[in-house]
Amino acid sequence: MAGRSGSVSAYNVTMATGTLDDRGIIVPCAHCGRQNRFAYEHLDHAVRCAACKTPLAAPADPIEVDSSAHFDALVAHSSLPVVVDYWAPWCGPCRMVAPEIQKLAARQAGRWLVVKVNTEALSDLGERFGIRSIPTLAVFGEGRELARTSGARPASEIEKFVESATQALHR
Ligand SMILES: [Zn+2]
């Protein structure tokens, strides 16, 4: 792995390819545009578009969490480990870690789900989980938080952190 990169272009990407609801991740079919749902319980299964039957790719970009209710549904039911990036728009180190989070989501698509929580927009979540500094990265699996760490770091180190956090899971 090339390791850290200062790529500026990679960093504009905050456009989410999926959105969350109570039951799963809604993603548009790349072929026909139909919105499909990946159910949280079956995120580790291949899914085909309900309309055109094209296989849907697992989310390869971080998904921005839009409500604490959706966050709770996701971490309670996700069949994949969930990597959470707690960030805020005013936080410089968060901007540094954003492209690394993006790389993580792309490399580990279908294996881990990577989401972002804007602690300014969802301050109730930040408070409930006691997020004192950002960026904070947390890993959830089997309905509970497994580990967390704070500070910016390259994708390769984040991968090591998540690998070790998920080792104890029963799958
Ligand atoms: Zn389709």
Side-chain angles (χ1 to χ4, degrees):
M1 294 296 149
R4 62 206 72 203
S5 119
S7 167
V8 176
S9 59
Y11 156 62
N12 280 335
V13 193
T14 36
M15 197 169 29
T17 55
T19 54
L20 306 180
D21 73 4
D22 293 338
R23 291 185 288 153
I25 305 167
I26 311 298
V27 289
C29 171
H31 183 67
C32 75
R34 153 96 181 226
Q35 302 281 338
N36 287 267
R37 180 187 289 110
F38 281 91
Y40 294 139
E41 289 85 350
H42 304 299
L43 290 180
D44 52 341
H45 290 41
V47 174
R48 286 176 180 274
C49 173
C52 73
K53 309 301 178 199
T54 301
L56 297 171
D61 291 298
I63 296 174
E64 194 73 52
V65 175
D66 60 347
S67 81
S68 52
H70 293 166
F71 181 85
D72 291 341
L74 167 67
V75 299
H77 300 294
S78 177
S79 62
L80 293 179
V82 181
V83 181
V84 183
D85 171 27
Y86 295 96
W87 69 287
W90 46 263
C91 158
C94 296
R95 284 195 285 275
M96 286 164 51
V97 83
E100 304 303 314
I101 293 293
Q102 182 80 39
K103 282 184 214 164
L104 187 78
R107 286 185 202 165
Q108 305 294 344
R111 185 170 176 234
W112 304 333
L113 186 72
V114 179
V115 302
K116 294 168 71 79
V117 169
N118 178 339
T119 54
E120 201 164 87
L122 299 175
S123 55
D124 57 323
L125 266 186
E127 276 169 36
R128 175 144 55 92
F129 286 96
I131 304 303
R132 296 272 168 268
S133 71
I134 48 173
T136 288
L137 297 169
V139 186
F140 289 79
E142 294 174 349
R144 65 201 160 88
E145 184 176 323
L146 303 171
R148 74 167 64 173
T149 183
S150 55
R153 62 197 66 197
S156 55
E157 283 184 28
I158 299 171
E159 279 169 337
K160 282 182 203 151
F161 164 70
V162 179
E163 293 283 4
S164 90
T166 53
Q167 248 166 19
L169 293 177
H170 303 113
R171 49 177 64 251

